[in-house]
């Protein structure tokens, strides 16, 4: 599943980041790297942006950026 599909209140782990190298680099510069845990805090009423907690800080990610991050749920 993608970050954009994850449910509010869930914790997920980044499995893969898709896109070209410059795009991947921009996502990784925000702290979203393979293996990092993301907590889905909330989603705006129209679904864009998604607010997450990563590495102890809050981050808002646009919907199209969130669709490029493959995640898996933490059990």
């Amino acid at each position: 599943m993608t970050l954009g599909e994850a449910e509010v209140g869930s914790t997920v782990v980044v499995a893969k980041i898709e896109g070209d190298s410059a795009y991947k680099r921009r996502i990784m510069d925000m702290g979203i790297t393979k293996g990092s845990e993301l907590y889905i805090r909330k989603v705006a009423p129209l679904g864009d942006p998604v607010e997450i907690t990563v590495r102890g800080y809050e981050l808002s990610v646009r919907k199209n950026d969130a669709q490029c991050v493959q995640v898996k749920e933490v059990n």
Side-chain angles (χ1 to χ4, degrees):
M1 100 176 112
T2 66
L3 180 57
E5 297 167 345
E7 296 198 22
V8 174
S10 64
T11 300
V12 295
V13 174
V14 177
K16 181 179 179 182
I17 301 172
E18 299 175 345
D20 62 40
S21 62
Y23 190 74
K24 284 182 182 180
R25 187 59 166 161
R26 189 168 67 83
I27 297 291
M28 289 190 289
D29 285 346
M30 288 189 257
I32 302 172
T33 57
K34 186 175 178 179
S36 61
E37 281 193 6
L38 310 175
Y39 174 71
I40 315 304
R41 292 178 44 89
K42 56 186 167 182
V43 178
L46 297 176
D48 193 20
V50 176
E51 188 173 311
I52 61 174
T53 300
V54 57
R55 300 180 190 268
Y57 68 95
E58 284 78 37
L59 176 68
S60 293
V61 180
R62 292 182 299 197
K63 192 174 187 178
N64 64 343
D65 290 343
Q67 296 297 356
C68 296
V69 180
Q70 297 291 324
V71 297
K72 54 186 174 184
E73 283 202 46
V74 174
N75 292 332

